[in-house]
Amino acid sequence: MADAEPSVVPAVESTADDIAAMRIRGAATIADAAAAALATQADQSEAENAPAFRRQLRAAARTLYETRPTAVSLPNALRYVLRGMDGDTVADLRSTTIASAESFQRNLAQAQDKLGDVGANRLRDGDTVMTHCHSTDALACVEAALESGKHLEAIVKETRPRKQGHITARQLRQWGVPVTLIVDNAARRYLDDADHVLVGADSIAADGSVINKIGTSGLAVNARERGVPVMVAAQTIKLHPDTLTGHSVEIEMRDETEILTDVERGAITGNDHDRAEERREDERPPETITAEDGETDVRSPETDAAFETGTELAVENPAFDVTPPRYVDAIVTEHGQFPPESIVTLMRELFGEMIDEPWEA
Ligand SMILES: O=P(O)(O)OC[C@H]1O[C@H](OP(=O)(O)O)[C@H](O)[C@@H]1O
């Protein structure tokens, strides 16, 4: 019989729920919360011996890992913390794991400050930046520029469906930056007023592709056409090590309810109660169909399809897209700025070729 999954402390479960529901969101913030949750697991573990402690920490990491698939900062955080777990006793394992989580969180904050200084050097006094979504790495560049005395203005894309642009607008206004909020579809029109497009990243692939909030790639293509440079602010925990060995980055598909309420769905389909899973079983075609001549047919994909016609509505809600490196001018990290095509050298230096998944061990 397989061993039961080790229990994880409630704080880990609630952090995982918050990440999945995007109450905790943003790649760096997710990484920070995941490291904190592992520290809490270590602190509150009641494991009786070292192997049991290790199993619990791995289970906690798996619980966090399975929340959202795209931002690589999450597995990179889990790897970092679990690599620091060291010792032969529960006491040693506890203290080293907590120290490792704290060290990760410190590095995260320092990296953001450093990349902010690098990014700020690209911004001139009087520039206008166009932003997409809400990125703490991107905002760190603006903050550093403001602190060095530069005056900036911002055109902030709303960023449907979750409107994280509103968070960006609020933060920029608190810093005294004049903000023009626009709907996503107005971006091309306002690019003529922008000196930079400034975005963050959830993952960066070895070829320099940038995986960021849905809408980034269209913005970058339009910016290239208008001659506006695109700057991606991404500390190195956003570099996706699996892409060094040919893996691609999974794009998260989120629930359609972020786009459509049930009432809106009903208005489109003409059906007030149109959720497929809620359709009453007696509305479905029978398993067998008796034709007028008495012949009996088994229900087929064709008859199912006919039933669906006119009632089903497909809604797709990808959370991220991929911007090819040719549309990106610079990736700004805590190690300096890189043309996207050369980011692979930094990835090799930081990660090597082989990547483990310590939560599976
Ligand atoms: O790490 P920082 O720069 O804060 O955020 C990076 C990215 O994380 C966000 O994803 P989501 O809102 O969690 O889906 C956005 O796509 C943002 O650009």
Side-chain angles (χ1 to χ4, degrees), residues 25-28 68 134-137 164 201-202 212-213 238 320:
R25 56 144 296 278
R68 293 184 75 192
H134 169 256
S135 157
T136 54
D137 281 353
Q164 294 100 322
D202 293 81
N212 193 47
K213 184 58 54 190
K238 315 288 178 64
F320 303 101

Side-chain angles (χ1 to χ4, degrees), residues 122-247:
R122 293 181 61 89
L123 305 175
R124 294 157 305 178
D125 188 29
D127 277 353
T128 297
V129 296
M130 182 180 284
T131 65
H132 184 61
C133 200
H134 169 256
S135 157
T136 54
D137 281 353
L139 284 174
C141 302
V142 173
E143 187 177 24
L146 297 173
E147 282 170 357
S148 70
K150 293 174 190 167
H151 173 83
L152 299 176
E153 297 194 11
I155 300 166
V156 173
K157 288 181 70 203
E158 193 180 36
T159 318
R160 293 269 170 168
R162 296 186 71 104
K163 298 195 230 171
Q164 294 100 322
H166 292 197
I167 308 170
T168 302
R170 188 165 60 239
Q171 177 64 80
L172 289 169
R173 280 179 48 77
Q174 281 169 4
W175 289 338
V177 175
V179 168
T180 303
L181 183 70
I182 59 170
V183 297
D184 297 311
N185 288 340
R188 191 162 183 273
R189 174 188 170 108
Y190 285 92
L191 274 169
D192 287 340
D193 300 332
D195 300 293
H196 309 264
V197 164
L198 171 59
V199 296
D202 293 81
S203 282
I204 292 182
D207 70 349
S209 297
V210 172
I211 296 89
N212 193 47
K213 184 58 54 190
I214 189 80
T216 304
S217 63
L219 176 62
V221 170
N222 280 331
R224 172 53 47 90
E225 188 254 340
R226 292 289 164 110
V228 181
V230 175
M231 166 175 164
V232 175
Q235 49 181 301
T236 52
I237 56 157
K238 315 288 178 64
L239 303 181
H240 205 306
D242 292 353
T243 61
L244 282 167
T245 50
H247 292 279

